[in-house]
Amino acid sequence: MLRRAAWGVDLTGGAVQAVHVERRGDRFRVVDVVEQPYSTPGDASETLLSHLPAGCDRALQELLQRRAATLADPVFVALPAFGARHGFIELQLSDPAKAEALLDFELHQALGGDLSQWAVRVGSLRRRADGLGAPFFAQRRDLLASFLNDVRRVGLPVDGLIPGPVALARYARSEWPDPGLQLVLEVKRTRTDYVYVTPERTRFRSSPLGCGGLKEPEFLPRSPQRDFDELAGRLVHEHHAARKALFGDKDGTALSRVHLLGDGARHPELKAALAELLRTEVVVPHLGRTVDVAPSRTGAHASRALELGTPLGLALAALDPPRGDSWDEDASLVKPPADRRLLRGLPALTTALLIVAFGLLALRWLVARDVESDEKELARVRAAVAWGAADDWEEARAAATADAQRVAELEGKAAALRNQMSFPGRLLESLRPPDVGARLVSLLLTPGEGQDEAELEFEIDQPQTKALERLAAHLEATGLSVVSSEGQRTESGAFLAKLKVAIHRVGSAP
Amino acid sequence: MRFAALALALAAFVFAFQDFVQRTWSLLGRDRAALAEHARVVDDHLARGEARGAPPSVQEVAHARELARAWRQERIEHERTFFAGAARASDYLLPPHRRPAVDGLAEQRTALEQQLLALPAELKAFAGASPERLGLEVPSLSGGISEDERRVADQVARSTALVRVLAAAHAVPNFVARDLAFERVDPASGSERLLLKVGGEAPLADAVQFYEVVLGDAADAPPRRLESFSLRRVPANEWGGAARRLPSPPVRIELRVGFEPVGDERRAAKKGVPK
């Protein structure tokens, strides 16, 4: 099975954070993590800009140099949400076809007219109590191009570009598909993303305040609680401001849970302070629902990988693109370059060629074996029935039959000739007795196929009564068959008998 | 790396495709031919089995061959007896103990020349018969017999036929020869046959004797075949000179005799010979 993997890379927030994730059926596995800070120690805020922060290119070297082999996989990068607009278009309609047509108009209203300046992604239509609605995200094309050029200039390939908070929401929806309002709080070194997730929509805000001012857990002072309380208080304050801006003053929806991610998740004191101030359960992910970590990594690394929400959301978006009725405002704002697509297609092409080549060679082996088998079977079938013996027998029979016919022919001819030769003598001998009284005056002997025929004429000087019948009877007694007979008186008073006879064959072959 | 793998895969594909075109394709053809031949052999077996039944055993074949050999010996013996040991018409020019001739045609041509030279004198007994009318080519000082094999065979057939009739005429003392001629008939079978027509007068008993001598066993002529024989009493007013020569009232006979084809002559009969 072809391996499907992708990189999710977040370059904002004071550190390069990247995860390499493989897809295994319905689950995802983190196989590599890169985390390289580039912000100045003690710096807890950044200017929200649309281009790469200073120092990011140096921090990318580890990713670009040591992971170059795996960078052929799709690389999805988080787009800073600075200058972006997002919202929810509500339509008082129930017919999706009409709503689709109205979406463009509503986008014009929401984005101030000219859509050509915006790169827009609109989510799928979903039903609401009063009609239909769809989320959208829009970023100015010049800012998008500026960021994209910056990233590509430093050598990082970009196959997909998704707003960081949107990617974070993607990760949150995959891992915590719980009802109610959940706050995903990703506290980075120099910034914090507030992402409010409900089953219907996503709202977010970024603030230039992070936990970069905190010392690393191992270097914390003896009583660091005041720093955490102070940071937690500022974060909660920013949360209230964001919620008021995003949900309005009158919104009273209670937070069901707060998920703490990012660098801030490394500090349990911050988690406790946030829970106390928000009066809500604050959780840090330790075990993923659909995401796990390669076994070679330690437990600390595993839980740390699960805290990198934005890179994980980017990787999930790359490996599990939205389908059907799912959320799709997290679709990439750019398409992968053609050369990258071609490069990724090479293994499949190589595999296909190898399979075809192997198939052709295997086919020859199979066909050769089949030919050998068929020819052996043909020889066996030919030899199974000894028709050669039948032919020999037929030949002997034909020769014997021909010889027998020839012998019979010669015997017949000899017998016929002998019979014909002896007939006149036999006839004269039969006329010799004095009581016959007939004198042969004419004989015409004609050979026939089965028997010979003769026309005889006799002269009887003193004919008695029934002389013709008596003569015929006498001749038949000598081996002739009288076919016809007639008699007449001659002028001299004699009786002339004319008989047509068939001569029986007598005797045998010489 | 990926391009190198692709190049290797492409090379493997080219090799495999070339192998397919050069070898596998012909193997497929052989396989199809073998299957078709297999089907044909099976059909042939079924058809033969349906037509002939089971093939014979080796013993049955040996027995059939033995019978065929016996029949062949029987046929050879019958032919030797029937044709008086002759294998071809020219063998009748030689004495029976030298048949069949194994020393070529030279001696037979000599015998034929001698016979052709002797026949004119013998033919004087038949009124009106001459070598020319009988189609005989009598050798002379200026030229021998023809070199054409077909003409030689024709001369052999005519001379051997005449020998038997002339012998019969001499054997019967009171036979008065009247007519002697050859004729060619072309029966429906397509092969020409040479017939000898003999006419004459003799007392009844001598006529029957003449008839029996002409048709009887003789080693100097091919086996004869009766075509027709007629015998009729001659009226007294037609006796003429015969009354003085014959002791008893004559009958007029007319005998037409054919000759069985011998050996090569049987196979060449359809080709015909010049008249």
Side-chain angles (χ1 to χ4, degrees):
Chain A
M1 189 179 78
L2 287 178
R3 183 178 66 92
R4 289 192 60 199
W7 278 97
V9 182
D10 185 9
L11 303 175
T12 59
V16 172
Q17 294 177 328
V19 291
H20 193 207
V21 179
E22 278 184 9
R23 176 164 190 169
R24 298 186 172 192
D26 293 335
R27 295 189 60 81
F28 303 92
R29 169 162 288 185
V30 180
V31 293
D32 197 6
V33 176
V34 174
E35 192 170 13
Q36 186 67 40
Y38 59 82
S39 63
T40 307
D43 189 0
S45 67
E46 67 175 20
T47 307
L48 292 178
L49 296 174
S50 63
H51 53 74
L52 279 184
C56 183
D57 51 348
R58 290 192 305 274
L60 273 172
Q61 292 309 309
E62 181 180 352
L63 176 65
L64 295 177
Q65 292 178 356
R66 296 187 181 177
R67 272 75 172 182
T70 58
L71 286 179
D73 292 333
V75 178
F76 273 51
V77 179
L79 174 71
F82 172 74
R85 292 186 184 178
H86 77 286
F88 197 84
I89 298 174
E90 298 179 354
L91 302 169
Q92 308 297 323
L93 291 171
S94 59
D95 185 2
K98 292 179 180 177
E100 294 276 358
L102 278 178
L103 274 178
D104 195 52
F105 174 77
E106 292 296 333
L107 277 174
H108 275 80
Q109 294 292 325
L111 298 177
D114 188 6
L115 286 186
S116 63
Q117 298 178 0
W118 297 90
V120 183
R121 291 292 179 269
V122 181
S124 57
L125 281 172
R126 57 213 63 177
R127 294 204 173 273
R128 296 167 54 83
D130 53 351
L132 295 171
F136 74 93
F137 176 86
Q139 176 65 297
R140 280 169 45 195
R141 290 189 182 276
D142 56 339
L143 299 180
L144 182 67
S146 170
F147 180 78
L148 194 59
N149 285 337
D150 283 352
V151 175
R152 285 179 174 163
R153 181 172 48 77
V154 299
L156 183 65
V158 179
D159 296 300
L161 205 58
I162 297 176
V166 175
L168 186 57
R170 172 76 176 78
Y171 173 63
R173 290 184 185 284
S174 173
E175 287 294 295
W176 310 298
D178 304 323
L181 176 64
Q182 299 181 83
L183 169 61
V184 183
L185 190 64
E186 188 171 45
V187 183
K188 304 178 185 175
R189 290 177 183 274
T190 57
R191 62 182 291 172
T192 301
D193 288 332
Y194 302 83
V195 179
Y196 300 90
V197 178
T198 64
E200 292 79 22
R201 59 178 295 190
T202 300
R203 301 175 180 83
F204 60 82
R205 169 172 279 197
S206 297
S207 70
L209 173 62
C211 62
L214 300 176
K215 293 188 179 297
E216 294 298 315
E218 56 269 27
F219 300 117
L220 287 174
R222 287 186 178 177
S223 55
Q225 192 59 45
R226 201 183 71 176
D227 295 340
F228 290 113
D229 291 342
E230 184 181 352
L231 177 59
R234 296 178 69 180
L235 291 174
V236 170
H237 176 73
E238 195 67 30
H239 154 65
H240 288 308
R243 181 163 180 175
K244 184 177 179 182
L246 295 172
F247 292 85
D249 293 337
K250 297 180 180 177
D251 181 73
T253 309
L255 284 175
S256 62
R257 189 176 294 166
V258 176
H259 301 278
L260 181 60
L261 303 176
D263 287 279
R266 296 185 300 164
H267 303 285
E269 297 83 356
L270 180 60
K271 171 188 168 188
L274 285 172
E276 184 179 350
L277 292 174
L278 291 171
R279 297 179 182 173
T280 309
E281 181 189 12
V282 177
V283 295
V284 173
H286 295 285
L287 187 63
R289 191 179 73 90
T290 61
V291 180
D292 59 15
V293 184
S296 60
R297 298 197 166 273
T298 63
H301 275 100
S303 61
R304 179 65 191 139
L306 295 177
E307 293 166 3
L308 303 179
T310 300
L312 284 172
L314 291 167
L316 295 187
L319 293 173
D320 188 19
R323 291 184 301 268
D325 198 27
S326 61
W327 294 73
D328 52 3
E329 69 269 38
D330 52 359
S332 172
L333 292 166
V334 297
K335 291 182 178 177
D339 58 337
R340 297 266 303 164
R341 280 183 291 175
L342 175 65
L343 195 63
R344 280 198 297 277
L346 285 182
L349 180 61
T350 303
T351 306
L353 285 174
L354 284 174
I355 289 174
V356 172
F358 178 78
L360 289 175
L361 292 174
L363 179 66
R364 177 164 72 82
W365 181 74
L366 290 173
V367 171
R369 202 176 62 162
D370 204 33
V371 166
E372 186 181 3
S373 170
D374 286 346
E375 289 180 345
K376 276 184 181 175
E377 181 65 14
L378 178 60
R380 192 191 66 78
V381 169
R382 274 182 173 152
V385 187
W387 291 115
D391 293 340
D392 293 345
W393 194 87
E394 283 290 331
E395 183 183 351
R397 189 181 71 86
T401 303
D403 289 339
Q405 286 176 348
R406 178 64 173 163
V407 168
E409 177 192 352
L410 295 179
E411 286 182 345
K413 285 181 177 178
L417 185 63
R418 184 173 291 275
N419 201 58
Q420 291 157 2
M421 186 182 69
S422 64
F423 171 69
R426 286 189 284 124
L427 180 63
L428 291 182
E429 191 66 28
S430 68
L431 297 175
R432 194 175 299 278
D435 59 330
V436 177
R439 186 168 57 251
L440 179 68
V441 296
S442 175
L443 163 66
L444 174 59
L445 176 60
T446 307
E449 283 295 325
Q451 60 184 9
D452 304 326
E453 294 177 351
E455 294 178 8
L456 306 172
E457 289 182 14
F458 297 94
E459 193 176 64
I460 303 173
D461 293 331
Q462 296 174 348
Q464 300 175 355
T465 56
K466 295 186 178 179
L468 185 59
E469 289 77 5
R470 292 178 62 185
L471 177 59
H474 177 72
L475 291 176
E476 287 195 342
T478 62
L480 303 177
S481 292
V482 178
V483 179
S484 65
S485 62
E486 62 176 279
Q488 61 183 20
R489 289 282 179 178
T490 63
E491 293 176 354
S492 62
F495 183 77
L496 184 63
K498 294 183 178 180
L499 295 97
K500 185 177 285 186
V501 298
I503 306 167
H504 298 166
R505 293 276 165 84
V506 295
S508 60
Chain B
M1 180 67 181
R2 293 190 179 196
F3 282 106
L6 177 66
L8 286 175
L10 195 60
F13 174 77
V14 169
F15 169 76
F17 185 74
Q18 190 180 22
D19 180 79
F20 175 80
V21 171
Q22 290 181 347
R23 300 182 62 180
T24 310
W25 189 252
S26 60
L27 280 175
L28 286 170
R30 269 179 62 190
D31 195 33
R32 282 195 297 270
L35 288 175
E37 180 65 11
H38 188 277
R40 191 195 65 74
V41 168
V42 170
D43 287 344
D44 186 47
H45 282 356
L46 290 174
R48 286 193 186 194
E50 192 174 354
R52 302 187 193 176
S57 64
V58 175
Q59 290 79 9
E60 288 172 324
V61 172
H63 182 62
R65 283 178 168 165
E66 191 64 32
L67 288 177
R69 276 195 291 273
W71 274 109
R72 182 172 178 78
Q73 290 298 324
E74 185 85 3
R75 179 181 63 80
I76 291 172
E77 192 63 33
H78 271 76
E79 285 186 335
R80 183 180 295 118
T81 303
F82 190 77
F83 293 106
R88 60 184 74 86
S90 59
D91 286 343
Y92 290 106
L93 297 170
L94 304 175
H97 67 275
R98 294 182 61 185
R99 298 173 192 169
V102 294
D103 46 0
L105 289 175
E107 189 176 356
Q108 295 174 36
R109 286 175 67 88
T110 303
L112 176 62
E113 285 178 349
Q114 291 175 355
Q115 200 164 72
L116 288 173
L117 287 171
L119 279 174
E122 299 288 335
L123 288 173
K124 288 180 180 176
F126 287 85
S130 66
E132 292 76 17
R133 292 186 64 183
L134 292 172
L136 298 174
E137 298 175 359
V138 181
S140 65
L141 292 175
S142 59
I145 59 175
S146 171
E147 295 293 330
D148 185 0
E149 287 187 9
R150 293 171 62 189
R151 298 189 71 85
V152 170
D154 180 58
Q155 292 298 302
V156 168
R158 289 172 188 263
S159 60
T160 52
L162 282 172
V163 164
R164 178 89 301 263
V165 174
L166 292 175
H170 288 297
V172 179
N174 295 320
F175 179 76
V176 178
R178 293 289 185 195
D179 193 14
L180 184 62
F182 282 111
E183 61 183 31
R184 289 270 183 194
V185 296
D186 189 4
S189 63
S191 60
E192 282 190 338
R193 294 187 299 164
L194 184 68
L195 297 184
L196 181 58
K197 183 179 174 184
V198 183
E201 292 171 358
L204 183 58
D206 292 333
V208 171
Q209 183 187 359
F210 175 79
Y211 168 78
E212 290 177 347
V213 172
V214 171
L215 293 185
D217 293 341
D220 55 358
R224 278 121 288 159
R225 182 179 60 251
L226 176 65
E227 294 294 331
S228 68
F229 173 64
S230 68
L231 178 152
R232 180 171 292 277
R233 184 177 63 184
V234 180
N237 56 358
E238 295 178 9
W239 286 8
R244 292 189 297 273
R245 288 183 292 171
L246 300 179
S248 57
V251 293
R252 183 170 293 146
I253 63 172
E254 185 175 305
L255 175 62
R256 295 173 75 238
V257 183
F259 299 90
E260 296 289 343
V262 184
D264 297 340
E265 191 182 345
R266 288 174 58 208
R267 290 187 288 274
K270 288 187 179 180
K271 298 178 182 176
V273 293
K275 292 180 181 178

